[in-house]
Amino acid sequence: MQFKRNFSAKREAIYRTLSSTDSHPTAEWIYEKLKTEIPDLSLGTVYRNLSVFKESGLVKSVGVVNGHERFDWDTSQHSHFVCNCCFKIIDIPKSRMFIDQNTVSHLENECDVHIQNHSITFYGLCGDCSKKISESEDK
Amino acid sequence: MQFKRNFSAKREAIYRTLSSTDSHPTAEWIYEKLKTEIPDLSLGTVYRNLSVFKESGLVKSVGVVNGHERFDWDTSQHSHFVCNCCFKIIDIPKSRMFIDQNTVSHLENECDVHIQNHSITFYGLCGDCSKKISESEDK
DNA sequence: ATGACTGCAAAGACTTTGCATCTTT
DNA sequence: AAAGATGCAAAGTCTTTGCAGTCAT
């Protein structure tokens, strides 16, 4: 997406807030974060702008985790780790490429489909939650 | 999960319906499918039993696609293709293993996480939708 | 003025839940 | 009786939307 000239102040703030974190936030998180700075912001506007960003390809959805859609400003191909306990999302280093274009081509033939993209998500416990759990088990 | 002795008739029917299809259905789909056979079935019961199945590991969730959670009776590791147009879900042949245990171990160290499982999903257009779209473009 | 954007609140969509009832052992 | 399962409808949660008002050009 080319930044439109009339990228409104609120729209800009929403994008800026999203792109300033690696937490893959929810709409609500962005809204809460901006409320102090922009008191008259409404949650609907956040949702509306995230939809605009998604449609234009400016941001991507990481999917729905625990009932909340999570967003990512980094639209380049990379995988994620989702903690099953605290639902934190961590980027997998981009050096980790699990599926190449050649494999995709073969799959398209094998399954009679046209593949546009793919997503890889690992699930488990993040370092923090692992620690907490083993500590509570020690008691 | 061991089948409990008191696996109720409705619970059994819900599982049977799910396991008789490869469509990765929604709760609603299962409910509609069973309504004729079991007129006094309620949608809540379908949701409740799917939760039971999920918790016990009898079935897996494929994730939320277009707002609807999709279920899979096949709990073995395999990937999916999701059509962005009709939201059909297709199993990727199990011969296609993209990530091995060794890679997972390395990732755990690299990212300081404990990985329990992972999911790979391809998105694009299924054969049917591809055809429909190219036909409509021919006009 | 014109088109784009937003606040607000209502509506929507999917899922969960409380409670009384009904089964099954 | 006791534990488990269900129907029904209400409640819950996240997200979308209609509409009137506002902003930028």
Side-chain angles (χ1 to χ4, degrees):
Chain A
M1 171 190 196
Q2 319 81 310
F3 273 53
K4 293 196 281 186
R5 179 167 283 100
N6 43 347
F7 213 65
S8 79
K10 282 171 184 170
R11 176 165 299 173
E12 191 274 334
I14 291 166
Y15 180 72
R16 173 167 43 77
T17 303
L18 171 58
S19 59
S20 69
T21 181
D22 285 324
S23 69
H24 311 79
T26 63
E28 183 83 30
W29 187 95
I30 295 174
Y31 171 68
E32 292 298 336
K33 191 101 188 217
L34 278 174
K35 226 166 46 173
T36 4
E37 178 186 340
I38 309 175
D40 72 330
L41 179 67
S42 89
L43 185 53
T45 296
V46 177
Y47 275 110
R48 249 185 301 232
N49 279 296
L50 287 171
S51 294
V52 170
F53 295 155
K54 248 196 317 186
E55 274 168 40
S56 67
L58 222 205
V59 314
K60 269 189 182 175
S61 171
V62 184
V64 178
V65 174
N66 193 34
H68 306 63
E69 181 162 22
R70 306 287 289 262
F71 297 91
D72 196 345
W73 56 267
D74 183 352
T75 58
S76 67
Q77 174 69 52
H78 62 286
S79 306
H80 295 102
F81 169 85
V82 175
C83 179
N84 284 327
C85 177
C86 67
F87 304 113
K88 184 191 302 169
I89 298 181
I90 300 172
D91 285 323
I92 303 288
K94 288 180 197 170
S95 51
R96 297 284 186 178
M97 283 311 207
F98 304 100
I99 295 168
D100 58 27
Q101 185 50 50
N102 191 39
T103 304
V104 168
S105 299
H106 280 289
L107 265 183
E108 290 186 307
N109 288 329
E110 191 174 357
C111 303
D112 182 32
V113 297
H114 170 58
I115 293 173
Q116 295 167 332
N117 53 64
H118 67 270
S119 101
I120 301 180
T121 309
F122 296 86
Y123 296 88
L125 295 176
C126 69
D128 292 346
C129 288
S130 292
K131 199 192 293 179
K132 279 177 200 159
I133 287 174
S134 55
E135 278 169 4
S136 73
E137 281 174 348
D138 284 348
K139 289 176 188 171
Chain B
M1 171 188 196
Q2 318 81 308
F3 272 52
K4 295 195 278 186
R5 179 168 282 98
N6 43 348
F7 212 68
S8 78
K10 282 171 184 171
R11 177 165 298 172
E12 191 274 334
I14 292 166
Y15 180 73
R16 174 168 42 77
T17 303
L18 171 58
S19 60
S20 69
T21 180
D22 285 324
S23 70
H24 311 80
T26 64
E28 182 82 30
W29 187 93
I30 295 174
Y31 170 69
E32 291 297 336
K33 191 100 188 216
L34 277 174
K35 228 167 44 175
T36 4
E37 179 185 338
I38 309 176
D40 70 331
L41 179 67
S42 90
L43 185 53
T45 295
V46 177
Y47 275 109
R48 248 185 302 233
N49 279 296
L50 287 171
S51 294
V52 170
F53 295 156
K54 249 198 313 188
E55 275 167 39
S56 67
L58 221 206
V59 314
K60 269 189 181 175
S61 171
V62 185
V64 178
V65 173
N66 193 35
H68 305 64
E69 181 161 21
R70 306 285 289 261
F71 298 90
D72 196 344
W73 56 267
D74 183 353
T75 58
S76 67
Q77 175 68 53
H78 62 286
S79 306
H80 295 103
F81 169 85
V82 175
C83 179
N84 284 327
C85 178
C86 67
F87 304 112
K88 184 191 302 169
I89 297 180
I90 301 172
D91 285 323
I92 302 289
K94 288 179 197 171
S95 52
R96 296 285 186 177
M97 283 310 204
F98 303 101
I99 295 169
D100 58 28
Q101 186 51 49
N102 191 39
T103 305
V104 169
S105 299
H106 280 288
L107 265 184
E108 289 186 308
N109 289 328
E110 191 174 357
C111 303
D112 182 32
V113 297
H114 170 59
I115 293 172
Q116 294 167 331
N117 53 65
H118 67 268
S119 99
I120 302 179
T121 309
F122 297 87
Y123 296 89
L125 295 176
C126 70
D128 292 345
C129 289
S130 292
K131 197 191 294 179
K132 279 177 199 159
I133 288 174
S134 56
E135 278 170 3
S136 72
E137 281 173 348
D138 284 348
K139 287 177 191 172

